[in-house]
Amino acid sequence: MIPYEEVQVPVAGGELAVLRWPAREPDAPVVVALHGITANALSWGPVARLLDGRITLIAPDLRGRAGSSALPGPYGIAAHTDDIAALTEALGLDRVVLAGHSMGAFVTVLAAVRHPERFGPLLLVDGGIGFPAPTHLSPDELMTAVIGPAMDRLSMTFPDRAAYRSFWQAHPAFAGAWSAEVDAYIQRDLTGDAPAMHSTCRIEAVRTDGIGLFDEEVLTAVRKLPAPATLLWAQRGLMNEEQGLYDETRLAAAGLGGTEVTPVPVRDVNHYTLLTGEAGAGVIAHHLLTMSGAPGPSGAGEPVG
């Protein structure tokens, strides 16, 4: 895992914890990267390493998670977009590439629509293209359908960090895909004292954000993008199942024709390993280098489709 620095950025209600992997050159391009609904900024660690110092990567812990867990509500996708706009303003960033994984991709899309002057090209990583919610489900049933066991984890306690590691290593998505970077990422989520350690994620934040993915403004934002976007979609799903969140049929039904979105399939990865696995992170790093105009590292980060 490569070194990073952690800074605090003022936003409404307090400070946002932000990780920064600096480029070797001070005038290198900057990318802002957003994590998923129960994740944290360290999920971008493998991508930061594969960027090989050619880009400064900035990844916040979103409101209600990890280092930003103490930030109060209101939560929701729109609240995150305001936080990210405040982050770029505080750091003096302008027209940066904005990337997001899963829920972070939905924040990316809405942020670009709400604050078009702050962001340039967009990279959506297995998210950002939504579908209407099933009307027969209650909000909590909808959340279970969207993120399944990840929601259950937020109410669990763990005797120590080793137990939390074992919990995640048993997750089907990480079978054969564990690394020191993944371990650091999941451990950033754990807080409290033994024997009752728990996730940093605020359940209220996760529930509000998850339900907000089906808001009309969020669902329609992709049709109003002021800048081009690339969607990298994983072949397999959250539990490493054969059906991913997206496929050719679902994307055709989404009617992306006429939008600024270009879908790109990524084979042999699931929803998580598209970001945290070596091959998936390499694809992401390649696209970020291309989007930002930075030179690509020799032999690394080549796209796999």
Side-chain angles (χ1 to χ4, degrees), residues 86-112:
L87 180 158
T88 58
E89 184 173 3
L91 298 182
L93 304 175
D94 184 45
R95 304 295 297 170
V96 295
V97 174
L98 184 61
H101 174 242
S102 196
M103 182 199 76
F106 288 89
V107 178
T108 294
V109 169
L110 189 60

Side-chain angles (χ1 to χ4, degrees), residues 69-259:
S69 180
L71 276 173
Y75 306 108
I77 306 303
H80 293 311
T81 69
D82 292 341
D83 287 344
I84 302 311
L87 180 158
T88 58
E89 184 173 3
L91 298 182
L93 304 175
D94 184 45
R95 304 295 297 170
V96 295
V97 174
L98 184 61
H101 174 242
S102 196
M103 182 199 76
F106 288 89
V107 178
T108 294
V109 169
L110 189 60
V113 171
R114 283 190 159 207
H115 305 280
E117 73 287 353
R118 303 226 64 91
F119 306 110
L122 312 175
L123 185 65
L124 313 178
V125 182
D126 221 32
I129 312 300
F131 303 93
T135 57
H136 64 283
L137 296 180
S138 70
D140 282 344
E141 289 172 334
L142 185 60
M143 285 306 304
T144 299
V146 171
I147 61 173
M151 192 68 181
D152 297 336
R153 181 185 97 247
L154 306 188
S155 301
M156 298 172 64
T157 59
F158 300 86
D160 52 32
R161 292 191 174 276
Y164 199 51
R165 178 179 299 113
S166 296
F167 171 85
W168 275 106
Q169 286 177 326
H171 194 294
F174 291 102
W178 197 258
S179 68
E181 289 167 327
V182 171
D183 192 68
Y185 149 51
I186 65 103
Q187 294 294 345
R188 185 171 175 83
D189 177 54
L190 197 63
T191 191
D193 299 316
M197 304 186 80
H198 57 89
S199 170
T200 62
C201 296
R202 290 195 174 193
I203 293 178
E204 179 190 354
V206 172
R207 180 179 287 114
T208 302
D209 293 348
I211 295 169
L213 295 175
F214 299 95
D215 287 348
E216 186 68 16
E217 183 185 18
V218 175
L219 289 175
T220 59
V222 72
R223 306 188 184 286
K224 305 172 185 175
L225 290 177
T230 298
L231 167 66
L232 301 178
W233 57 272
Q235 181 181 30
R236 300 197 297 276
L238 279 76
M239 302 296 288
N240 204 38
E241 68 271 31
E242 287 297 318
Q243 177 63 62
L245 293 178
Y246 303 105
D247 58 24
E248 286 88 351
T249 301
R250 290 181 177 182
L251 290 170
L256 296 178
T259 72

Side-chain angles (χ1 to χ4, degrees), residues 28-31 51 54-55 97 121 285-295:
V30 177
V31 170
L51 289 172
R54 287 166 164 79
I55 284 175
V97 174
H286 169 83
H287 280 274
L288 292 178
L289 289 165
T290 300
M291 286 179 166
S292 63

